[in-house]
Amino acid sequence: MPFPLALFLPIENLQRPNPFQPPAATLQFAPSRQFDLQHVVVRLDVDPKNRIFAGTSSNLVSPLRAGLTELKLNAGEKLQISAVTVDGKTATFRRSGSDMFVKVIPTIVGKPMTITAKYSSEKAIGSGFGGGEGGWHWIRTDEKDPTRVGFWTQGESLYNRNWAVTWDYPNDFTTSETYTTVPKDWTVVGNGIMADEAVVGTRKTVHWKMSQKHATYLLSLVGGPFDVKKESWNAKELWYVVPKGMGNLIDDSFGDTKDMLSFFSSRFGTMYPWPKYAQNAMYDFGGGMENVSSTTLGMGSLTDKRSGFYTMSSLNAHELAHQWWGDLVSCKDWGHTWLNESGATFSQALYFEHARGKYAYQREMEGNMQGYFAESRRYKRPLATNLYTHPDNMFDSHSYPKGAVVLHTMRNWLGDDAFFAGVKRYFAVGGFGPVESSDLCRAQTESSGTNMAQFFDQWVYKPGHPVLEYSWSYDGVAKSVRIKVDQTQATDDGTPVYDLKADVLVIAGGKLSRSQIVFNTKTAELGFESTVAPDAVILDPDHSFLREMKHTFGAMELSAVAEFAPNCVDRNSALMQFLGDTANESKVKFAERLLRADQGMFPAFESTSKLIGFRIQASRDFFRSELKHKSESRRRDAVNGIVGIGLQAEDRTAIRALVNGTEMYSVVVAAINALDPKLDVEVLRKALMIPSRNDRIKKAAERRLER
């Protein structure tokens, strides 16, 4: 399920009631099962003109208990059920809320029966994510755009019952089929493989079949007049599906899909498990949803290459990772949602580490920490909990960013080899079935030989996080450094005093040395040798575990941290503090030296805004060199830096050259804003003709010419 990861929550969100606090929150558990759901077949006839769908759902069930005379399925309250049969014979049924109870002959354990419900849903009108008949959404029409029609479904958490009568809870996996009748010029994409497509007159029926077991909330259909591109990867079909007329955005939006599939299959030690993968970009949808083998995405995320480096990668990687974390294995009950969402969020950062380097991974983890910390000021809860108001409440900044950093913590606790061996075992043992947090604990324990029970107890089953404060001193006579660490988190809400191990990095004269401190008390002290006085001491220099660090580097430490710290978050923070608010020639030269050495496409320092603000002539050569930096944001900053100093003839020529049809939009727009409407009128007029997504360049040029 999609999640907008923000670093800070609005004030009104901090003031909202806590959905995990009684009496609103109650203990909830997976419902008991009367049967094993073995196969579900959904047949729908879709009437887009009248916004009606009608059809049947057939559920092959194998009773788990003998002598039952009534079986329960889930059916949305707005579905009009006209008939129910059991093995083809008419059966009586009753309804209570979203449950349907069907009379059956006394059950025999293991003797299957097929329960079929006939139903319709009339005048379903929905808006936004998950709108309409709960799990069924008719795309909002636009008289000016006849292609803006169609539908999509959304099952998580309890919404597929509103278009398919079935067992709608993730503690039972099943195989499935869908037959969907639509206008013949439409495309329908469902789970598994397309088994058949039959045209009769102006209509066609599309048959999708999933032969591997999955949770029913992952059933999916999208339909409409789409642009579709198909490829293959390792003999598996790839479908890229976008609204009609947007096919030109497919390659730039999904061009790294094959690399993601290869990376995740290798990193998880488990080949992509499904027969195909479709990515369906839909109108009215927000974020993404990991329907098994057929992800639904918001069309607003579609992009082109000049908008940035694969700007859709974060969303795409998250949803693709779900095909393992959440689809191959899925939480047995919604209290263990973190297994799905944390796994996908963590994996998205893993992919960035692979495709963009260590600094990108570090920034993702920092963003995850800050996103969770913002929510933790409103409430704290265990990652795994059965105390909540509704399953949808579980999709919060605990299940996504906090859990992602807990997996990052686990990775560093065990080491890569042991951790990913545990991930491989988790998928191998639990694959194609529901799991709980204990299953991941067991997989990591059995693969590594390290008893992970205590780790899960403090990081998964208890609320909160460590809050650390530390100080250090140097004894020149004894030639030793002493560090004192305090865990200052409040523990009256169940947050523990953590069992931690953390590296301590000493920077002295440009040389780096490490020691490790292990502690499980409120206060810990450690001493170690150092022949010279340190320039800086950093606790947990790699940000290797979830923690809130209440520490400010001293003035004498800042330059050393900015230059030598292994984590770019510390380097950026230290450099900003080191530069201060007033230009200082020696400090500026120091910063420029670090920045000149930082030339990657995804650099440690993404911004030079501090130097821009100083507006000093001595930085002109630096900003001129930055115009050719590999990083889009650094090139954009370079334009703004030169503008702040004042354009010379050489600068004007260089900035004019950036107004072209290949440079990134943000850089082109910065260049346009830097030009003079009178001196550079021809360049600005040329910009009016440069094509860009949503006319971004044209609009910038128009605004500039109006000045």
Side-chain angles (χ1 to χ4, degrees):
M1 183 178 282
F3 183 78
L5 180 58
L7 293 185
F8 299 100
L9 292 174
I11 292 175
E12 58 268 23
N13 284 358
L14 297 176
Q15 297 171 340
R16 286 193 346 233
N18 179 355
F20 299 92
Q21 181 69 39
T26 58
L27 286 173
Q28 302 189 41
F29 301 93
S32 298
R33 296 163 54 218
Q34 299 172 308
F35 51 78
D36 173 27
L37 179 61
Q38 297 185 332
H39 191 62
V40 58
V41 181
V42 181
R43 300 175 184 269
L44 293 179
D45 192 296
V46 178
D47 179 357
K49 181 178 179 180
N50 296 301
R51 300 209 159 195
I52 297 171
F53 64 85
T56 62
S57 290
S58 297
N59 294 272
L60 177 64
V61 303
S62 180
L64 298 173
R65 299 196 296 278
L68 299 175
T69 58
E70 190 176 65
L71 297 182
K72 183 180 80 172
L73 293 170
N74 302 119
E77 294 180 50
K78 294 185 179 181
L79 290 183
Q80 293 87 48
I81 299 177
S82 57
V84 175
T85 62
V86 177
D87 291 334
K89 297 180 180 179
T90 300
T92 59
F93 65 95
R94 64 183 178 89
R95 303 184 68 177
S96 176
S98 63
D99 296 330
M100 180 182 75
F101 299 87
V102 181
K103 291 290 185 181
V104 297
I105 61 173
T107 57
I108 299 173
V109 174
K111 183 178 180 181
M113 63 179 67
T114 299
I115 303 173
T116 301
K118 183 179 180 182
Y119 55 91
S120 64
S121 183
E122 299 181 2
K123 304 296 183 184
I125 299 174
S127 61
F129 182 83
E133 293 293 283
W136 181 279
H137 177 85
W138 293 104
I139 291 173
R140 293 193 297 271
T141 57
D142 183 343
E143 293 180 358
K144 298 178 181 179
D145 183 2
T147 67
R148 204 184 196 286
V149 294
F151 69 87
W152 45 260
T153 65
Q154 165 60 28
E156 196 173 44
S157 54
L158 305 173
Y159 303 116
N160 269 343
R161 64 189 65 187
N162 292 323
W163 63 275
V165 177
T166 188
W167 177 257
D168 191 17
Y169 203 86
N171 63 342
D172 196 358
F173 275 35
T174 183
T175 55
S176 64
E177 294 177 77
T178 57
Y179 295 80
T180 311
T181 302
V182 296
K184 69 176 183 179
D185 59 341
W186 279 24
T187 299
V188 175
V189 186
N191 310 105
I193 61 170
M194 182 187 287
D196 188 38
E197 188 175 57
V199 177
V200 178
T202 62
R203 309 274 285 166
K204 73 177 176 184
T205 299
V206 185
H207 175 201
W208 285 90
K209 185 174 183 178
M210 173 56 85
S211 299
Q212 296 153 297
K213 290 186 175 183
H214 59 87
T216 54
Y217 77 89
L218 298 169
L219 275 170
S220 171
L221 288 172
V222 301
F226 305 136
D227 283 345
V228 181
K229 178 179 179 179
K230 299 178 186 178
E231 293 184 327
S232 65
W233 172 86
N234 278 15
K236 298 174 186 284
E237 280 195 342
L238 304 181
W239 288 47
Y240 310 110
V241 182
V242 300
K244 201 71 174 177
M246 297 186 184
N248 62 306
L249 301 175
I250 286 176
D251 288 346
D252 294 337
S253 298
F254 304 113
D256 50 359
T257 297
K258 291 182 181 180
D259 186 55
M260 291 180 187
L261 283 161
S262 297
F263 172 71
F264 287 143
S265 295
S266 173
R267 205 68 175 106
F268 301 153
T270 306
M271 181 61 67
Y272 175 76
W274 315 110
K276 75 112 174 32
Y277 187 55
Q279 292 170 101
N280 310 298
M282 296 290 109
Y283 282 115
D284 301 344
F285 200 88
M289 177 61 210
E290 64 275 13
N291 305 303
V292 61
S293 80
S294 189
T295 285
T296 309
L297 302 157
M299 59 74 56
S301 295
L302 293 172
T303 188
D304 67 359
K305 63 183 178 182
R306 297 178 63 200
S307 295
F309 181 82
Y310 285 119
T311 59
M312 209 171 167
S313 283
S314 179
L315 175 62
N316 290 346
H318 179 102
E319 302 305 334
L320 177 53
H322 264 308
Q323 300 297 315
W324 288 265
W325 301 88
D327 291 8
L328 178 58
V329 294
S330 187
C331 57
K332 187 176 294 184
D333 71 72
W334 295 113
H336 296 268
T337 295
W338 82 279
L339 292 170
N340 301 1
E341 298 301 345
S342 302
T345 305
F346 169 72
S347 298
Q348 177 262 308
L350 273 181
Y351 180 71
F352 272 29
E353 183 180 44
H354 157 75
R356 306 185 183 195
K358 64 179 182 179
Y359 298 137
Y361 178 83
Q362 290 169 358
R363 287 193 182 92
E364 290 297 305
M365 283 302 150
E366 179 67 15
N368 286 329
M369 285 198 210
Q370 296 303 326
Y372 156 67
F373 293 153
E375 185 170 85
S376 73
R377 292 193 287 273
R378 179 182 161 210
Y379 65 81
K380 301 183 186 76
R381 67 165 178 86
L383 279 180
T385 180
N386 292 102
L387 183 66
Y388 51 86
T389 56
H390 187 277
D392 287 355
N393 296 129
M394 294 299 299
F395 296 89
D396 63 357
S397 289
H398 284 67
S399 288
Y400 288 77
K402 179 185 180 179
V405 186
V406 168
L407 290 174
H408 164 78
T409 303
M410 193 186 306
R411 176 191 187 185
N412 287 296
W413 185 271
L414 291 172
D416 271 15
D417 289 346
F419 173 77
F420 287 107
V423 170
K424 180 179 179 180
R425 186 179 184 88
Y426 175 61
F427 293 139
V429 174
F432 306 105
V435 292
E436 297 175 316
S437 299
S438 59
D439 293 297
L440 180 58
C441 180
R442 186 178 304 110
Q444 292 290 359
T445 296
E446 293 177 351
S447 290
S448 68
T450 301
N451 187 343
M452 296 298 288
Q454 183 181 6
F455 183 97
F456 272 70
D457 179 65
Q458 66 180 10
W459 293 107
V460 176
Y461 299 122
K462 290 180 179 176
H465 58 275
V467 179
L468 304 182
E469 297 183 10
Y470 76 93
S471 59
W472 63 274
S473 60
Y474 180 68
D475 186 333
V477 175
K479 302 295 184 182
S480 67
V481 176
R482 192 151 197 86
I483 185 170
K484 179 176 179 289
V485 185
D486 294 306
Q487 294 194 49
T488 64
Q489 67 270 16
T491 56
D492 55 357
D493 60 358
T495 299
V497 174
Y498 285 81
D499 185 7
L500 299 171
K501 58 182 179 182
D503 278 4
V504 178
L505 178 68
V506 174
I507 304 171
K511 296 182 179 180
L512 283 62
S513 61
R514 287 178 183 251
S515 299
Q516 189 176 80
I517 182 171
V518 179
F519 59 103
N520 57 7
T521 56
K522 292 283 286 185
T523 300
E525 292 190 46
L526 176 71
F528 41 87
E529 293 183 359
S530 180
T531 57
V532 296
D535 297 313
V537 175
I538 308 176
L539 177 66
D540 186 30
D542 303 307
H543 296 212
S544 61
F545 60 92
L546 175 65
R547 81 290 192 277
E548 198 168 357
M549 193 72 76
K550 301 287 189 180
H551 177 79
T552 301
F553 292 115
M556 301 301 292
E557 293 181 283
L558 293 175
S559 61
V561 174
E563 185 166 8
F564 297 111
N567 191 285
C568 67
V569 175
D570 288 335
R571 295 188 70 191
N572 276 270
S573 176
L575 185 60
M576 294 302 101
Q577 293 178 62
F578 175 76
L579 286 170
D581 297 323
T582 305
N584 175 287
E585 183 178 355
S586 64
K587 290 184 176 182
V588 168
K589 286 183 177 180
F590 171 80
E592 289 179 359
R593 177 173 65 81
L594 295 187
L595 291 162
R596 287 180 187 275
D598 184 37
Q599 290 295 310
M601 187 174 180
F602 306 99
F605 302 99
E606 286 188 309
S607 173
T608 58
S609 60
K610 198 77 165 181
L611 297 182
I612 293 172
F614 290 154
R615 300 190 176 190
I616 56 176
Q617 289 292 329
S619 292
R620 185 180 296 277
D621 286 344
F622 166 74
F623 283 124
R624 284 175 173 173
S625 69
E626 287 280 289
L627 287 174
K628 296 182 180 180
H629 200 284
K630 294 178 182 178
S631 164
E632 171 190 353
S633 62
R634 292 275 289 269
R635 295 198 302 277
R636 182 187 64 238
D637 277 2
V639 173
N640 295 329
I642 293 172
V643 170
I645 297 169
L647 270 65
Q648 294 180 353
E650 178 183 339
D651 303 317
R652 188 175 298 279
T653 299
I655 289 175
R656 282 174 171 173
L658 293 173
V659 182
N660 59 53
T662 58
E663 179 60 87
M664 295 294 187
Y665 295 144
S666 69
V667 180
V668 177
V669 170
I672 287 172
N673 291 336
L675 297 178
D676 187 294
K678 294 180 180 179
L679 296 177
D680 304 301
V681 64
E682 292 303 318
V683 176
L684 293 173
R685 285 176 178 168
K686 182 188 75 172
L688 295 173
M689 307 304 294
I690 297 176
S692 60
R693 180 132 164 83
N694 300 321
D695 287 330
R696 186 174 173 184
I697 292 175
K698 178 182 177 181
K699 291 175 182 176
E702 287 175 341
R703 288 192 300 268
R704 198 64 183 161
L705 286 167
E706 289 172 358
R707 296 175 73 89

